[in-house]
Amino acid sequence: DRGGDWSSDVCSSDLACSLPFAQVEHPAFRDFIRYLRPAADDLLPRSGDTVKTDLQWGYDNKKKFVKRALQNALSSIHIIPDNWTSPNGFGVIGFTVQFVTEDHGLQSLVVRIKELEGEHSGENMAEAIMEFIQEYGIATKVGYFMMDNASKMNTMIDKVSDELEREFDVFYDPLPHRLRCSGHIINLAVMEFLIGKRPRMTGSYGGPSEEEIEEWRKRGTIGKLHNIVVYITWTPQRLQTFTVLTDGLRLRRDNDTRWNSWYQMVERALRPKVRQAITVFCAQEPALQEDALTPSDWVTLAEIHKFLEPFHDATMANEGVQNSIADVLPTMDYLLHHIEAAREATTIPHLATMMETAWAKLADYYELTEDSPVYSAATVLNPSFKWAYMEKTWEDKTEWIERAKSRVGQLWRQSYKSTFSLPVLRPGSAEEPTTRRLNGCKMWMNEQKATIFNTDDDEYEVYCREPVVMTPDPLKWWLEVAQRKRCRLEPDASWCLCPATIAIHEFVCF
């Protein structure tokens, strides 16, 4: 590379560790590198501007390969946009894409991070996404969008659909391509259970106002705990006093955007040392007298903790590269059943009411999954589930099953079904060779196979008829020789990636 290995490493380290580019100009830093390798001083950039230039060169060079990979992808390009505000106050939008590569691998790449001009509106997000689509030449390959549940995301994908048709004459139906983050859905159900609409916060340096404190107190036990935690953690002096009482254990505080923060706050408060410290602290602080937790409040907190634990488990179970959209419906079923059981078991009437609101919120999003057939398709293409899962879970809702089967079948035929069929030779068929005698034994075996494998069927129909197979890794199962062999066109043909495997890449792994 242009600057030598050490120069490249320094540039990468600056970027990965969020160090300023001018770090290479600091004498102490250069002394440190020189100590590790004296000859490196001649290879290191001498200014931050050089580091910036080298990084841009590296980005532009790599971009060519990424662009080629996206254009040659076997699958559609699925996009996950994300907005945030950087520590230095810039509004930023980033895109991660996922696709099946030419060599049949699943690839996930961060392809763009840029400043978003203006507010984080759906229109502005769509403009940034269309710039990316046009720049990389993938207008005909745009797949699904995985996003949170904000209404501006609907605006964004509608705008992308309009622009794709206007600029590229590409029809793109936004409704079935708009997928929803399951972690965000779980968090919304939790918040509906706990507090409904979150009270307004001013974020003033002097702490929450009396009106804000009273608003939280109206939320009952959980609001009182919130007030206590905010009060104690607002100043380092109070926090120091509290940690002395707990032998060093700190409180956890709820947060708007950090999932499971409420569960963690309650879990920490219920620890014996922390519970005792909260009781002592509230007794000593006049400002906390109205928020002091009674014995019945502690009983309520224990039941809230028990109720929230499955939501925590569901969030954690859906994290990581091994989890995908195939887990969304089973996860939501798990939580809906949990809420129903908890509502029947609770002896605290107001908690039962809170549980009903959580169930309603989750059920609303469960119903929205019907907008896109890929939720059902991904579940069915997991060999551990297939249609047996729906038939068991929805056993009293046959119309759901039939509707889902129809939509998944339509999705398969329109987007993934093979254009070829497996040749099965029969005596007297038009495809029978006339220049040499056919092997009678092989012909008989082919006929026997034909009684099992109907050549009018496709891979999806055959797959659905086969028994459920328990496997911890659906993608690995689909890439086994036995599954890939379904697509072998003739005895001496090389292996190819069957449409079912492309579908499993796209759905079970997205």
Side-chain angles (χ1 to χ4, degrees):
D1 69 53
R2 297 190 311 168
D5 293 341
W6 276 80
S7 174
S8 177
D9 290 344
V10 169
C11 292
S12 300
S13 298
D14 283 354
L15 191 62
C17 301
S18 299
L19 298 174
F21 297 153
Q23 181 76 29
V24 296
E25 301 174 12
H26 293 189
F29 176 78
R30 300 187 72 87
D31 288 344
F32 174 67
I33 298 297
R34 193 182 297 111
Y35 172 78
L36 295 176
R37 185 174 177 182
D41 194 51
D42 294 332
L43 301 176
L44 285 176
R46 296 194 175 275
S47 75
D49 289 339
T50 303
V51 174
K52 182 178 179 179
T53 301
D54 285 349
L55 287 172
Q56 186 65 51
W57 174 85
Y59 172 82
D60 292 337
N61 192 50
K62 192 70 173 180
K63 182 178 176 181
K64 300 173 186 176
F65 296 96
V66 173
K67 187 175 182 179
R68 187 182 308 123
L70 293 179
Q71 292 177 349
N72 294 336
L74 297 179
S75 71
S76 300
I77 309 300
H78 308 301
I79 304 173
I80 305 98
D82 193 16
N83 299 340
W84 70 96
T85 301
S86 67
N88 54 349
F90 288 104
V92 178
I93 185 169
F95 310 133
T96 301
V97 296
Q98 194 169 70
F99 58 97
V100 182
T101 62
E102 288 181 282
D103 58 356
H104 307 161
L106 183 69
Q107 182 66 265
S108 182
L109 295 174
V110 177
V111 291
R112 170 170 287 199
I113 299 175
K114 72 178 299 264
E115 183 180 356
L116 188 64
E117 297 182 5
E119 62 179 323
H120 286 184
S121 65
E123 290 83 359
N124 287 339
M125 292 172 61
E127 182 178 348
I129 288 172
M130 287 305 301
E131 286 179 9
F132 157 69
I133 290 172
Q134 186 167 11
E135 184 178 359
Y136 282 78
I138 57 169
T140 60
K141 300 178 73 70
V142 178
Y144 293 88
F145 282 83
M146 177 64 76
M147 303 176 288
D148 65 29
N149 297 284
S151 59
K152 64 184 177 183
M153 297 301 183
N154 298 334
T155 304
M156 185 212 74
I157 196 168
D158 287 343
K159 183 70 173 175
V160 168
S161 173
D162 293 341
E163 291 299 310
L164 283 173
E165 186 165 6
R166 185 179 68 84
E167 294 187 24
F168 301 99
D169 198 27
V170 172
F171 173 73
Y172 182 82
D173 189 352
L175 185 62
H177 288 93
R178 194 258 198 260
L179 306 182
R180 301 171 184 271
C181 171
S182 59
H184 193 250
I185 292 172
I186 293 170
N187 188 58
L188 289 174
V190 167
M191 297 307 295
E192 193 70 21
F193 163 74
L194 288 171
I195 58 176
K197 185 176 180 181
R198 187 179 179 91
R200 180 181 58 87
M201 294 291 287
T202 62
S204 62
Y205 289 107
S209 67
E210 287 298 324
E211 292 78 10
E212 291 167 351
I213 293 171
E214 184 57 34
E215 279 297 309
W216 278 106
R217 194 173 290 139
K218 290 177 182 178
R219 265 60 180 182
T221 302
I222 197 71
K224 290 163 69 175
L225 177 61
H226 167 86
N227 283 342
I228 293 169
V229 173
V230 169
Y231 181 84
I232 293 174
T233 58
W234 200 267
T235 70
Q237 293 77 22
R238 294 174 193 164
L239 192 56
Q240 286 172 1
T241 301
F242 184 83
T243 53
V244 168
L245 295 173
T246 62
D247 292 333
L249 284 175
R250 298 169 68 93
L251 290 167
R252 296 284 184 88
R253 182 173 170 177
D254 61 272
N255 182 282
D256 274 341
T257 57
R258 191 175 68 248
W259 300 336
N260 295 311
S261 62
W262 286 89
Y263 167 79
Q264 292 164 353
M265 181 176 72
V266 175
E267 187 275 333
R268 181 58 59 89
L270 287 171
R271 294 190 185 186
K273 285 187 177 181
V274 178
R275 173 176 173 172
Q276 183 180 6
I278 289 174
T279 302
V280 171
F281 202 95
C282 288
Q284 296 174 348
E285 289 286 339
L288 292 178
Q289 295 305 302
E290 293 186 64
D291 291 309
L293 298 172
T294 65
S296 63
D297 286 331
W298 286 107
V299 171
T300 299
L301 283 177
E303 188 148 345
I304 288 174
H305 175 265
K306 182 180 178 181
F307 179 77
L308 293 182
E309 192 167 57
F311 290 88
H312 168 269
D313 292 348
T315 304
M316 301 304 292
N318 281 271
E319 291 182 349
V321 295
Q322 294 299 320
N323 303 99
S324 71
I325 196 172
D327 303 308
V328 171
L329 292 181
T331 297
M332 295 176 79
D333 288 327
Y334 163 72
L335 291 175
L336 288 168
H337 293 157
H338 159 65
I339 296 171
E340 292 166 2
R343 186 175 53 192
E344 291 296 320
T346 186
T347 58
I348 305 175
H350 76 274
L351 283 187
T353 302
M354 293 164 64
M355 292 171 185
E356 288 177 7
T357 63
W359 189 94
K361 175 66 73 173
L362 195 58
D364 285 345
Y365 282 106
Y366 196 98
E367 186 175 346
L368 285 175
T369 62
E370 195 172 357
D371 289 343
S372 180
V374 300
Y375 288 100
S376 296
T379 306
V380 170
L381 288 174
N382 184 327
S384 300
F385 289 140
K386 296 194 174 184
W387 283 111
Y389 175 81
M390 266 72 150
E391 289 163 354
K392 178 182 178 181
T393 306
W394 299 345
E395 58 182 347
D396 58 340
K397 298 180 176 66
T398 54
E399 71 279 4
W400 288 17
I401 298 172
E402 293 307 314
R403 189 161 61 243
K405 285 185 175 180
S406 174
R407 298 191 70 203
V408 171
Q410 183 181 15
L411 175 66
W412 167 260
R413 290 187 295 274
Q414 290 179 349
S415 304
Y416 297 98
K417 184 177 179 179
S418 279
T419 56
F420 62 82
S421 60
L422 295 177
V424 178
L425 298 178
R426 295 186 174 88
S429 71
E431 299 178 19
E432 181 176 332
T434 57
T435 58
R436 59 175 179 155
R437 187 181 67 84
L438 294 176
N439 185 301
C441 180
K442 289 185 178 181
M443 287 173 58
W444 181 86
M445 287 190 288
N446 282 335
E447 289 174 359
Q448 308 317 302
K449 291 177 184 176
T451 64
I452 300 172
F453 184 84
N454 184 346
T455 55
D456 292 331
D457 289 345
D458 59 24
E459 296 157 282
Y460 167 69
E461 292 167 344
V462 173
Y463 163 80
C464 289
R465 287 201 302 267
E466 294 171 344
V468 168
V469 178
M470 297 306 298
T471 174
D473 190 341
L475 177 58
K476 184 177 180 181
W477 182 87
W478 276 97
L479 291 177
E480 290 175 355
V481 172
Q483 278 58 254
R484 293 171 66 107
K485 193 172 181 179
R486 298 168 185 266
C487 189
R488 201 173 189 182
L489 300 181
E490 53 184 282
D492 296 324
S494 59
W495 298 120
C496 61
L497 189 67
C498 69
T501 310
I502 293 178
I504 205 74
H505 273 78
E506 295 203 89
F507 301 152
V508 177
C509 302
F510 178 54

